[in-house]
Amino acid sequence: RQIGRLLHQLEKNNQIDNTVVIFLTDNGPQFMYGFLTEAEDMQRNHLPQRGHKGHVWEMGVKSPLFVSAPWFT
């Protein structure tokens, strides 16, 4: 929804053809011993996927990236 609002404002202000919009996210929770309570750790638990940030397993490598630019259309 927020990216849509941003794109709408760029179009409204005739800036969409001069703008590259890049959207990406973090690649999962940081794994820190003793930092989280057991309940907080369970909220971040992505079983059956393995790994955490920095790992080559599922939770360390999935991170979406979307790019919107005039030359992509």
Side-chain angles (χ1 to χ4, degrees):
R1 180 182 293 174
Q2 300 305 322
I3 295 294
R5 290 179 61 207
L6 172 66
L7 294 174
H8 175 75
Q9 287 299 314
L10 289 170
E11 288 175 354
K12 181 178 168 183
N13 294 309
N14 296 317
Q15 293 297 313
I16 195 75
D17 291 333
N18 301 320
T19 306
V20 176
V21 177
I22 301 172
F23 172 84
L24 62 140
T25 66
D26 199 349
N27 64 334
Q30 179 72 21
F31 188 68
M32 293 181 270
Y33 291 105
F35 179 73
L36 302 174
T37 66
E38 186 174 339
E40 291 169 332
D41 188 49
M42 289 307 295
Q43 287 179 334
R44 293 179 174 212
N45 190 339
H46 297 286
L47 288 175
Q49 297 174 342
R50 302 172 295 163
H52 293 277
K53 190 182 303 265
H55 289 169
V56 296
W57 293 325
E58 296 92 7
M59 290 312 297
V61 295
K62 288 198 269 187
S63 184
L65 168 68
F66 300 98
V67 178
S68 173
W71 56 88
F72 282 172
T73 58

